[in-house]
Amino acid sequence: MNTIDFNSAERQQSFGLIPPKTIVPLVMNIRPGGAGDGGWYTASKTSDAMMLDVEFTVSEGPYAKRKLWQYFVMSGGKLTNNGDSVAGNISRSTLRAILESARNIKPEDTSDAAVNARRINGLEDFNGMCFLAKIGIDKDKNGQ
């Protein structure tokens, strides 16, 4: 068997985490999973949850081109007493905040213009949407 020597290969660049509470401009893109409304959703492999698989890219500044990923559960999973998805409610609230940031709407604004600006034609409207976000870091089940 021939030996393959990787010692002369360049080392990959590694990055530390973006510090918590850093505000960055992000561009949002949904990675279609082929399920649900127009194929935009990704079906959970372990429950009835339907999710949006989203990739965010930092668009400028010292963290430009860095990527973050998040699943937004849109339906299924644990339900409220009214039969709504608990995680779905949280996801819709986050997506509303993204729309408000992207469209420069104050959360308390109930004017006709603000109400209309919180409406989208379809999930594809989120693709390429630019907004400001504050970075947070959560610990996993093991405290890591």
Side-chain angles (χ1 to χ4, degrees):
M1 194 182 328
N2 293 334
T3 301
I4 302 172
D5 186 353
F6 288 97
N7 287 295
S8 63
E10 291 184 29
R11 287 184 288 180
Q12 277 194 327
Q13 187 175 4
S14 63
F15 300 100
L17 296 174
I18 298 173
K21 300 184 181 178
T22 301
I23 296 175
V24 294
L26 295 177
V27 177
M28 179 176 175
N29 281 293
I30 300 170
R31 301 186 301 184
D37 185 25
W40 289 104
Y41 293 112
T42 297
S44 170
K45 294 177 182 170
T46 59
S47 75
D48 65 342
M50 296 296 278
M51 307 169 288
L52 292 179
D53 179 2
V54 177
E55 177 180 83
F56 301 102
T57 305
V58 178
S59 62
E60 58 188 72
Y63 303 104
K65 299 183 182 177
R66 301 278 292 276
K67 296 194 180 279
L68 303 93
W69 299 270
Q70 182 170 345
Y71 282 110
F72 289 96
V73 174
M74 300 302 289
S75 65
K78 185 176 178 183
L79 302 178
T80 67
N81 291 337
N82 297 335
D84 296 328
S85 168
V86 171
N89 288 342
I90 294 167
S91 293
R92 282 185 292 282
S93 177
T94 302
L95 292 169
R96 174 184 169 150
I98 289 170
L99 276 173
E100 289 173 343
S101 176
R103 297 179 175 176
N104 198 25
I105 307 165
K106 296 202 179 309
E108 63 276 0
D109 188 346
T110 58
S111 68
D112 288 344
V115 168
N116 286 329
R118 287 189 194 99
R119 293 188 176 119
I120 60 172
N121 294 316
L123 293 171
E124 63 273 12
D125 286 1
F126 282 109
N127 279 329
M129 188 170 283
C130 302
F131 64 99
L132 292 177
K134 186 186 294 185
I135 299 297
I137 300 173
D138 292 334
K139 292 184 178 181
D140 67 11
K141 296 175 188 175
N142 301 319
Q144 298 288 321

